[in-house]
């Protein structure tokens, strides 16, 4: 019953639904985000929704080894890393409402049932759960022209069924030209290099068995799909050949929109959604994206990333932020992985040969000893240093221990019995029982002191960045810590937000996570400042084409 959940089926948006076939990890999110970028370039107001069919209410309680980094939105939403890709590709700020999870949907439906909202009815997946899914998608799309809705997982997964059923219902509730079903699937190569269509056929068959007919197929293969392969897919999957698109491997994810544009995906989508007439003429579409992402690098530098999750996705926003700074300076930033938990010779060597050191955020004790060694190394050897969240906290611990001589100083998170808890729980955290969604989260303003490195980096005396932490610099130690060249140059009330060193070419730590606001066209200031220092150390000059 649509009225029950209060959505208006006549909201005028256009929806592009993106499902995945055959296997996960195909780059479905990047494909969807790239299409969004092209529609943005054509002058449309685009947003996105990521559906995660897991039972967690949000990604905040998940180990990064499972799903990669937990991305943080300005409203404090702890969400799937795909939202980070959408924010970076579309250059928009989203809210938690743009990440629909089964946990959120069921929590709402069960709360409503307990409140008696369903008036004696049997509460069921269809229609109550599917209605709530549709309501969430429609509400997130409100006020935009096109909403891209990516369904996580692979067609056929049991958890995804209610979502696919909700999409099927959508197709009866909206005009045909308001909806487009896009299926991203794997087209593997056989041993003798032939592109095989059978897995795609099966996955489309699966979609059709639940009442969904894709309008567009995007085939992932290292190469472009051969014409006869596209024809075969079209025939078996019942779509026109023009609706079968290639999405070959590219050297950088930011090139995917360019490839899909060459393929004509954006034109086809706009035709099918009946918005082609409203699009900016092709010649007037922003070429900014192309200019930014295809700039030639004129040099390269090595940056050590000292973390504990040996998985690139666990630090994806940091990788992207370094890349954005590199795009601005026209320099390739090679990230050298240093495993803080296994500082063997190879990792030590990477740390020693790097032109800069980044210590990222993290939770728990594992790897902290290695991270502290890395901070010390950077401090003592004048290597540019950027510490983010836990990296900031450990920079303070390292100073307390090795500069001030406060033996055994630590963060109370890592050593509860430390004689010097220089990092301690935020006061409001003491009595908390739940771990989910209870950290200090989201965008907060930091006041920056004049005449500091932080002020030079931001070019301002204020910044607004996103947070995700439970611990902070212990107010009782601030005075003692602020000695021997260490300064807290950014504050939010009595909370210390930025640390820096006067005796060092570039040593900056932030309690917040600047990586969540970095965009290809607007690199994050701390990353740009850091890269400047790294380039100076490596004796690499910035490219000359820089316009920003
Ligand atoms: N574990 C630390 C805290 O909770 C740091 C958090 C982080 O790095 N995101 O304060």
């Amino acid at each position: 019953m649509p009225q029950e959940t209060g959505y208006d089926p006549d909201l005028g948006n256009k929806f592009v639904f993106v499902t995945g076939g055959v296997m996960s990890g195909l780059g479905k999110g990047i494909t969807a985000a790239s299409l969004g970028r092209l529609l943005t370039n054509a002058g449309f107001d685009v947003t996105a929704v990521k559906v995660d069919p897991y039972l967690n209410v949000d990604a905040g309680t998940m180990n990064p080894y499972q799903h990669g980094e937990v991305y943080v939105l300005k409203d404090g939403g702890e969400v799937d890393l795909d939202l980070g890709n959408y924010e970076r590709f579309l250059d928009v700020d989203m809210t938690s409402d743009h990440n629909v999870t089964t946990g959120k949907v069921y929590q709402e439906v069960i709360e409503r049932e307990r409140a008696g909202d369903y008036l004696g009815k049997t509460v069921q997946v269809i229609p109550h759960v599917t209605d709530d899914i549709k309501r969430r998608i429609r509400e997130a799309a409100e006020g935009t022209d096109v909403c891209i809705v990516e369904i996580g997982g692979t067609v056929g997964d049991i958890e995804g069924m209610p979502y696919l059923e909700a999409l099927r219902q959508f197709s009866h509730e909206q005009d045909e030209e308001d909806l487009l079903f896009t299926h991203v699937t794997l087209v593997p190569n056989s041993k003798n290099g032939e592109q095989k269509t059978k897995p795609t056929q099966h996955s489309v068959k699966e979609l059709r068995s639940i009442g969904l007919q894709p309008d567009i197929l995007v085939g992932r293969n290292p190469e472009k799909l051969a014409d006869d392969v596209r024809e075969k897919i079209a025939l078996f999957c019942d779509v026109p050949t023009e609706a079968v698109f290639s999405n070959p491997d590219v050297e950088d994810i930011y090139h995917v929109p360019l490839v899909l544009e060459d393929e004509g995906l954006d034109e086809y989508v706009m035709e099918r959604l009946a918005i082609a007439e409203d699009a900016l003429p092709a010649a007037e579409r922003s070429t900014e994206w192309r200019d930014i992402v295809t700039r030639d690098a004129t040099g390269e530098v090595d940056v050590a990333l000292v973390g504990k999750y040996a998985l690139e996705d666990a630090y994806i926003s940091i990788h992207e932020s370094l890349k954005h700074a590199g795009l601005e300076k026209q320099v390739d930033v090679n990230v050298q992985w240093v495993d803080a938990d296994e500082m063997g010779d190879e990792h030590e060597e990477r740390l020693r040969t790097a032109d800069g050191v980044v210590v990222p955020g993290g939770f728990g004790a594992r790897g902290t000893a290695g991270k502290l060694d890395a901070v010390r190394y950077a401090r003592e050897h004048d290597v540019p240093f950027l510490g983010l969240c836990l990296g900031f906290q450990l920079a303070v611990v390292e100073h307390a221990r090795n500069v001030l001589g406060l033996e055994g100083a630590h963060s109370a998170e890592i050593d509860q019995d430390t004689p010097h808890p220089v990092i301690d729980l935020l006061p409001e955290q003491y009595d908390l029982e739940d771990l989910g969604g209870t950290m200090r989260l989201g965008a907060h303003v930091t006041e920056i002191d004049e005449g500091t490195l932080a002020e030079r980096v931001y070019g301002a005396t204020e910044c607004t960045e996103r947070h995700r932490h439970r611990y902070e610099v212990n107010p009782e130690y601030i005075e003692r810590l602020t000695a021997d060249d260490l300064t807290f140059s950014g504050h939010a009330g009595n909370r210390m937000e930025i640390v820096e060193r006067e005796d060092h070419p570039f040593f900056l730590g932030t309690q917040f996570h600047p990586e969540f606001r970095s965009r290809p066209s607007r690199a994050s200031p701390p990353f740009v400042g850091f890269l400047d220092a790294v380039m100076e150390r490596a004796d690499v000059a910035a490219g000359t084409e820089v316009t920003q």
Side-chain angles (χ1 to χ4, degrees):
M1 285 282 196
Q3 311 80 294
E4 272 196 342
T5 45
Y7 71 75
D8 172 5
D10 295 324
L11 286 176
N13 312 87
K14 306 277 181 181
F15 294 93
V16 179
F17 297 115
V18 182
T19 51
V22 184
M23 64 174 211
S24 60
L26 278 181
K28 171 169 46 113
I30 297 296
T31 308
S34 299
L35 173 60
R37 178 72 234 173
L38 294 174
L39 297 175
T40 305
N41 287 354
F44 296 103
D45 208 341
V46 182
T47 194
V49 171
K50 171 78 196 293
V51 166
D52 282 306
Y54 44 64
L55 279 159
N56 302 60
V57 171
D58 62 36
T61 52
M62 284 196 271
N63 185 319
Y65 264 134
Q66 303 254 311
H67 287 269
E69 157 190 289
V70 177
Y71 189 75
V72 182
L73 300 171
K74 69 174 179 193
D75 70 354
E78 296 169 281
V79 294
D80 185 84
L81 62 81
D82 272 315
L83 276 274
N85 286 326
Y86 287 116
E87 286 206 338
R88 289 185 281 266
F89 275 76
L90 303 181
D91 199 3
V92 292
D93 282 350
M94 304 211 250
T95 63
S96 339
D97 295 338
H98 293 252
N99 194 189
V100 175
T101 65
T102 302
K104 282 183 190 165
V105 171
Y106 273 79
Q107 195 172 46
E108 168 94 14
V109 170
I110 292 169
E111 273 170 17
R112 293 195 52 199
E113 185 277 329
R114 290 288 82 186
D117 282 1
Y118 295 106
L119 300 173
K121 292 202 181 92
T122 308
V123 183
Q124 294 180 294
V125 173
I126 305 170
H128 303 104
V129 166
T130 48
D131 274 356
D132 194 65
I133 292 169
K134 289 184 291 179
R135 172 186 71 82
R136 285 170 188 274
I137 292 173
R138 287 195 164 102
E139 284 181 3
E142 235 170 346
T144 60
D145 300 319
V146 183
C147 180
I148 310 228
V149 184
E150 178 196 348
I151 312 293
T154 307
V155 165
D157 294 346
I158 197 158
E159 295 92 342
M161 289 301 182
Y163 296 96
L164 298 179
E165 166 57 18
L167 301 198
R168 192 193 64 74
Q169 294 173 19
F170 250 96
S171 58
H172 292 283
E173 293 167 8
Q174 308 262 155
D175 290 343
E176 206 177 310
E177 60 186 31
D178 289 347
L179 304 176
L180 207 55
F181 290 92
T182 304
H183 192 55
V184 180
T185 148
L186 177 70
V187 179
N189 286 332
S190 71
K191 257 201 198 135
N192 48 12
E194 240 183 299
Q195 295 177 324
K196 305 303 283 181
T197 66
K198 192 70 82 191
T200 300
Q201 293 177 38
H202 278 295
S203 126
V204 170
K205 199 165 144 196
E206 180 106 35
L207 258 184
R208 291 166 80 178
S209 73
I210 38 186
L212 288 173
Q213 167 63 42
D215 299 299
I216 289 176
L217 289 162
V218 178
R220 290 281 297 114
N221 181 273
E223 305 293 330
K224 278 186 162 210
L225 303 183
D227 284 344
D228 62 322
V229 171
R230 289 178 55 221
E231 278 160 25
K232 196 165 171 188
I233 292 176
L235 185 66
F236 280 97
C237 302
D238 201 18
V239 296
T241 310
E242 318 82 86
V244 183
F245 293 89
S246 301
N247 184 3
D249 290 352
V250 285
E251 134 204 1
D252 188 289
I253 53 166
Y254 295 136
H255 294 178
V256 177
L258 310 178
V259 171
L260 296 179
E261 188 178 35
D262 288 344
E263 283 279 300
L265 178 66
D266 51 340
E267 292 293 344
Y268 189 81
V269 166
M270 290 189 287
E271 282 299 329
R272 291 291 303 259
L273 291 175
I275 53 174
E277 280 178 12
D278 305 318
L280 290 173
E284 283 172 37
R285 286 179 207 162
S286 160
T287 51
E288 195 196 340
W289 184 270
R290 188 177 290 271
D291 291 347
I292 293 169
V293 304
T294 56
R295 275 186 200 147
D296 281 333
T298 54
E300 58 181 308
V301 292
D302 286 329
V303 167
L305 176 62
V306 188
K308 68 169 175 176
Y309 301 112
L311 171 75
E312 193 167 320
D313 269 356
Y315 301 108
I316 180 170
S317 291
I318 294 174
H319 283 272
E320 295 308 306
S321 300
L322 288 168
K323 204 200 290 180
H324 302 159
L327 289 171
E328 186 168 322
K329 298 285 170 193
Q330 281 183 266
V331 170
D332 275 337
V333 182
N334 303 321
V335 178
Q336 303 293 341
W337 169 246
V338 175
D339 193 328
D341 204 22
E342 297 210 19
M343 284 279 216
D345 288 349
E346 187 195 340
H347 292 272
E348 295 262 355
E349 176 67 14
R350 285 188 203 165
L351 182 65
R352 273 194 298 273
T353 53
D355 308 306
V357 173
V358 177
V359 177
F363 294 83
R366 190 169 71 80
T368 45
K371 289 178 184 175
L372 283 168
D373 287 347
V375 178
R376 180 173 200 162
Y377 180 83
R379 177 177 60 78
E380 290 182 342
H381 293 84
D382 284 348
V383 182
F385 170 82
L386 185 61
L388 307 169
C389 209
L390 181 65
F392 156 96
Q393 297 174 351
L394 293 179
V396 173
V397 171
E398 196 278 328
H399 175 76
R401 284 184 178 187
N402 303 330
V403 181
L404 303 182
L406 298 180
E407 220 172 292
H410 219 321
S411 162
E413 176 188 9
I414 297 153
D415 176 4
Q416 271 120 29
D417 304 319
T418 169
H420 296 292
V422 289
I423 304 294
D424 203 359
L425 258 190
L426 286 157
E428 64 269 31
Q429 295 281 328
Y430 274 108
D431 298 322
L432 282 180
E433 283 173 11
D434 285 348
L435 287 183
T438 54
M439 283 186 246
R440 179 169 180 248
L441 290 166
H444 297 282
V445 176
T446 294
E447 311 285 345
I448 299 172
D449 294 341
E450 278 176 35
T452 59
L453 170 65
E455 191 209 359
R456 284 201 298 285
V457 161
Y458 274 97
T461 51
E462 199 182 275
C463 69
T464 303
E465 299 278 13
R466 300 181 189 173
H467 295 69
R468 182 174 187 247
H469 64 117
R470 231 179 264 291
Y471 291 80
E472 63 167 350
V473 177
N474 186 342
E476 285 175 23
Y477 277 90
I478 292 171
E479 221 179 290
R480 259 196 282 175
L481 288 166
T482 321
D484 289 325
D485 294 307
L486 182 132
T487 340
F488 291 108
S489 51
H491 323 257
N494 54 3
R495 275 173 192 158
M496 300 302 108
E497 292 276 7
I498 305 179
V499 71
E500 58 187 72
R501 302 199 67 91
E502 278 155 25
D503 57 351
H504 195 279
F506 188 98
F507 189 101
L508 194 77
T510 62
Q511 179 61 81
F512 47 78
H513 291 270
E515 68 269 27
F516 296 136
R517 289 198 65 203
S518 187
R519 305 283 182 262
S521 60
R522 254 177 312 115
S524 161
F527 284 87
V528 176
F530 170 70
L531 183 58
D532 266 332
V534 168
M535 286 161 59
E536 201 171 314
R537 183 176 171 89
D539 210 9
V540 167
T544 47
E545 266 180 59
V546 177
T547 50
Q548 295 167 55

